[in-house]
């Protein structure tokens, strides 16, 4: 055995909580053999009987006791390690914090090309140029002559791709270069999503924006900041100005946005204002485009990366600033597999990178406000709307004793009619898609249930069918009731489809646009709908929570909320926080132009104190009160939460498995005694897609206790496991119970 071959610890993409030692196949002498260059690099390893792509996380200093017994790892010929030091540190931290296998964390962080392909394509493409040297080849070298003539005919050079068309091989070109007939220049390839645009002129910042800009600009090193700016206060303009400054200093910026649905608009705004390369990264990109974006950022060509959740894993050459826009948004949390929060990782990454991170929103999460309260994050505020816009008036419609037509009360219908007649647009918000949430047998009152889930089926009308929004089951509308054989059914309640058809009938002379997951399937359909709205002619926009996010519609003067109570009352302890955020964000969609906006909220609980905060546009006071309440109830963010779900084909197995887990943890972690352990208890929707689910929840307020629990979990899970039961760990869960 080669005495100099190194032993490396490799993380492999498998659900295993450890690394594996391999000996590294001998390298070309003098090349890539310093430790620095090895850590974070890809290797091909044999694991079990499979060939996998692993990542080197450590080079073992000590000689291995039995090196010859180790399998060999083959280094890939990548130009650089796929993970830089700061990315590696962030992912190592995340693997422990989220109790997720390291190899799978790495896997989630790489573009699929780097997960699958041995050779990573380079983005550099060659342009060939003819030198002045006259051709001295043989007279019958007609192909060579043809190539040289074609190159010569392009004064600025010709792309290598174009030369392929006349069958010029790379070998041939190289030969012609060696003989001195050709030269090449290398360029970085920009594909369609990565075009440079001529910059628009920036708006002059107003005094409030200017002050905030200066404070944020003064941030240096690791410095997390919350920018709480009311809707329409011009946060995006401030971001753009900051990013420009960082680019001038040769740094790059990462901007996270919550959803693909916001991408076209935000992207266009940044792209139109910044002359440097802006790259968009989101899940709808193809493998090749994602890889290109990744490389562009890594090589430093992309100055700004705008992306959704997973863009937090983008590598950078010189990252100088991270912005998390709409930081309160739940979509920053990945809810399956590697259950990370991109917002929290952004802060961690900024710490590794020693750079500022700005969390911006009109409605901060309680988690972030808590950090501000504790003095961990600095705080900036924008209190007025930019330009000429002012905040809308908010009024409640008490629907306790009013007849509703398809969920719409008479005063609301009148307000919609008046708004349209005045030439303006209306947003009608209902957080339920489909035609109706419930189908009931008119004879016996039975509600039609999903056969796989503890949930009712939603009625859809185009075409008529029933749909389970939890397991995606689609089925025909029954002809007979399964209990009483009655044949008459009633669709109860109103979803967006029903509201759309009702409004389309009543206000038939106006356009109507529906925005929900059934009508908006991709960025193209969204762009189409948004363009229609931006045209500005009077119209009704009916939609779900998709509507409340970040859109800047200038002609909307009325926002109608059909069922506010549904937003606040649920088993989730975050319901009030989330409901208030949603209402404030929705109110933020109106009155953004020069005209005064109005918000009408239908409720059966008009006395609820929450509406006073909403009416006063005082999210902050509402949030502080909630923060107090969470403290009294000993809930996050005061305490940290770890939830462990067990799934099985029967409920008892899930409960038993979690009891065993609880016992195993109690045995190995003394700190568990200080923590609150809730459960095991069944999930509020116990059965989903035919699988039963239960939870064990650990709440604690001591970071070292959390660490102990997380470190002990893999072994405890191993002890508690049994056939047919699957565990899933969620640290800082958002979807809880
Ligand atoms: P936010 O991100 O805080 O919701 P935006 O940045 O979208 O706010 O700004 C809201 C609107 O105000 C946009 O139409 C924007 O063009 C406009 N705006 C922002 N800053 C200014 C300014 N300084 N002068 C004039 N208009 C502005
Ligand atoms: Zn179902």
């Amino acid at each position: 055995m080669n005495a100099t071959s190194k032993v490396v610890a490799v993380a492999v993409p498998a659900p295993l909580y450890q690394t594996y030692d391999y000996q590294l196949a001998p390298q070309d002498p003098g090349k890539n053999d310093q430790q620095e260059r090895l850590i974070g690099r890809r290797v091909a390893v044999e694991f079990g009987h499979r060939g996998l792509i692993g990542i080197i996380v450590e080079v073992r200093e000590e000689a291995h006791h039995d090196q010859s017994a180790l399998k060999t790892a083959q280094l890939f010929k990548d130009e650089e390690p796929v993970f830089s030091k700061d990315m590696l540190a962030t992912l190592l931290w995340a693997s422990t914090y989220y109790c997720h296998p390291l190899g799978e964390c790495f896997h989630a962080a790489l573009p699929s090309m780097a997960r699958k392909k041995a050779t990573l394509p380079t983005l550099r493409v060659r342009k060939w140029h003819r030198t002045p040297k006259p051709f001295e080849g043989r007279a019958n070298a007609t192909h060579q002559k043809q190539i040289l003539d074609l190159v010569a005919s392009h004064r600025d050079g010709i792309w290598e791709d174009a030369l392929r068309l006349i069958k010029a091989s790379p070998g041939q070109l190289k030969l012609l270069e060696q003989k001195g007939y050709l030269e090449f220049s290398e360029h970085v390839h920009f594909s369609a999503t990565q075009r440079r645009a001529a910059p628009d002129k920036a708006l002059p910042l107003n005094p409030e924006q200017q002050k905030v800009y200066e404070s944020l600009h003064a941030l240096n090193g690791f410095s997390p900041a919350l920018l709480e700016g009311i809707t329409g206060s011009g946060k995006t303009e401030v971001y753009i100005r900051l990013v420009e400054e960082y680019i001038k200093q040769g740094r790059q910026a990462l901007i996270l946005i919550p959803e693909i649905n916001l991408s076209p608009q935000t992207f266009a705004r940044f792209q139109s204002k910044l002359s440097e390369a802006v790259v968009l990264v989101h899940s709808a990109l193809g493998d090749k485009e994602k890889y290109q974006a990744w490389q562009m950022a890594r090589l430093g060509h992309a100055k700004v990366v705008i992306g959704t959740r997973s863009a937090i894993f983008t590598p950078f050459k010189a990252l100088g600033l991270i912005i998390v826009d709409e930081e309160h948004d739940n979509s920053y949390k990945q809810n399956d597999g590697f259950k990370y929060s991109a917002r929290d990782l952004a802060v961690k990454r900024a710490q590794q990178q020693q750079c500022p991170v700005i969390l911006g929103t009109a409605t901060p999460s309680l988690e972030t406000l808590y950090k501000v309260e504790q003095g961990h994050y600095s705080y900036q505020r924008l209190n007025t709307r930019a330009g000429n816009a002012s905040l809308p008036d908010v009024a409640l419609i008490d629907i306790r004793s009013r007849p509703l037509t398809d969920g719409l009360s008479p005063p609301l219908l009148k307000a919609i009619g008046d708004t349209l007649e005045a030439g303006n647009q209306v947003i009608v918000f209902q957080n339920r898609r489909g035609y109706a949430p419930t189908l009931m047998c008119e004879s016996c009152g039975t509600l039609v249930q999903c056969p796989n889930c503890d949930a009712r089926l939603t009625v859809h009308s185009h075409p008529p069918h029933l749909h389970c929004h939890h397991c995606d089951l689609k089925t025909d509308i029954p002809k007979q009731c399964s209990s009483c054989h009655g044949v008459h059914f009633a669709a109860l309640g109103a979803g967006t489809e029903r509201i759309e058809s009702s409004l389309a009938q009543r206000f038939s002379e106006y356009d109507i646009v529906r925005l929900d997951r059934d009508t908006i399937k991709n960025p193209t359909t969204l762009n189409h709908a948004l363009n229609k709205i931006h045209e500005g002619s009077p119209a009704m926009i009916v939609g779900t929570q998709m509507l409340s996010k970040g859109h800047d519609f200038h002609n909307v003067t009325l926002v109608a909320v059909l069922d506010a109570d549904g937003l606040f009352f649920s088993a989730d302890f975050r319901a009030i926080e989330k409901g208030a955020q949603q209402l404030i964000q929705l109110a933020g969609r109106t009155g953004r132009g020069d005209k005064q906006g109005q918000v009408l909220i239908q409720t059966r609980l008009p006395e609820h104190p929450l509406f006073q905060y909403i009416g006063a546009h005082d999210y902050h006071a509402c949030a502080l009160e909630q923060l107090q309440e969470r403290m009294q109830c000993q809930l996050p963010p005061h305490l940290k939460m770890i939830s462990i779900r067990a799934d099985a084909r029967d409920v008892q197995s899930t409960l038993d498995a979690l009891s065993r887990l609880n016992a195993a943890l109690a045995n190995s972690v003394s700190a568990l005694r200080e923590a609150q352990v809730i459960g095991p208890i069944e999930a509020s929707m116990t059965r989903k897609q035919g699988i039963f689910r239960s939870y064990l929840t650990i709440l604690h307020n001591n970071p070292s206790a959390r660490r102990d629990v997380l470190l002990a979990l893999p072994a405890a899970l191993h002890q508690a496991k049994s056939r047919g039961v699957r565990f899933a760990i969620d640290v800082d869960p958002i979807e809880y119970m």
Side-chain angles (χ1 to χ4, degrees), residues 4-156:
T4 62
S5 76
K6 286 186 185 322
V7 174
V8 288
V10 175
V12 292
L16 299 158
Y17 288 93
Q18 64 181 104
T19 58
Y20 294 85
D21 285 357
Y22 286 87
Q23 60 173 322
L24 204 58
Q27 294 300 292
D28 303 344
K31 216 178 149 194
N32 296 328
D33 58 351
Q34 301 125 9
Q35 270 210 44
E36 301 271 301
R37 303 290 302 166
L38 288 176
I39 291 177
R41 289 190 64 177
R42 302 191 306 153
V43 278
V45 294
E46 197 189 310
F47 189 78
H49 294 287
R50 292 181 298 161
L52 295 176
I53 296 183
I55 303 291
I56 299 179
V57 284
E58 235 181 290
V59 178
R60 299 263 186 243
E61 290 295 346
E62 304 284 308
H64 203 272
H65 54 278
D66 187 9
Q67 193 164 327
S68 58
L70 294 177
K71 288 186 190 166
T72 311
Q74 197 75 42
L75 212 52
F76 283 110
K77 290 198 167 52
D78 300 338
E79 287 176 11
E80 281 178 68
V82 286
F83 290 113
S84 61
K85 272 194 193 141
D86 78 297
M87 251 342 275
L88 206 69
T90 305
L91 288 166
L92 282 164
W93 176 86
S95 166
T96 311
Y97 185 86
Y98 292 110
C99 202
H100 196 71
L102 185 59
E104 291 193 341
C105 296
F106 286 150
H107 202 69
L110 283 178
S112 69
M113 277 211 181
R115 298 198 298 249
K116 295 182 211 147
K117 290 221 155 83
T119 315
L120 295 179
T122 158
L123 293 185
R124 284 188 275 277
V125 287
R126 286 181 175 180
K127 210 173 198 184
W128 290 92
H129 310 266
R130 180 75 171 92
T131 61
K133 184 179 176 183
F135 184 59
E136 293 161 354
R138 278 175 289 132
N140 62 355
T142 48
H143 191 214
Q144 289 191 358
K145 190 92 180 54
Q146 189 195 4
I147 295 170
L148 294 180
D149 286 347
L150 184 66
V151 178
S153 69
H154 289 76
R155 280 178 169 277
D156 299 328

Side-chain angles (χ1 to χ4, degrees), residues 115 158 187 209 238 269 312 430 527 556 572 575 670 722 730:
R115 298 198 298 249
I158 179 168
H187 301 259
Q209 283 172 315
V238 174
R269 272 178 81 181
I312 188 57
Q430 175 71 316
N527 256 334
V556 172
D572 182 359
S670 58
S722 70
D730 197 344

Side-chain angles (χ1 to χ4, degrees), residues 128-131 147-148 151-152 163 172-173 176-184:
W128 290 92
H129 310 266
R130 180 75 171 92
T131 61
I147 295 170
L148 294 180
V151 178
L163 289 170
Q172 246 171 335
L173 293 170
L176 290 169
E177 186 215 348
Q178 280 164 357
K179 289 189 173 160
Y181 299 126
L182 290 182
E183 293 170 341
F184 65 83

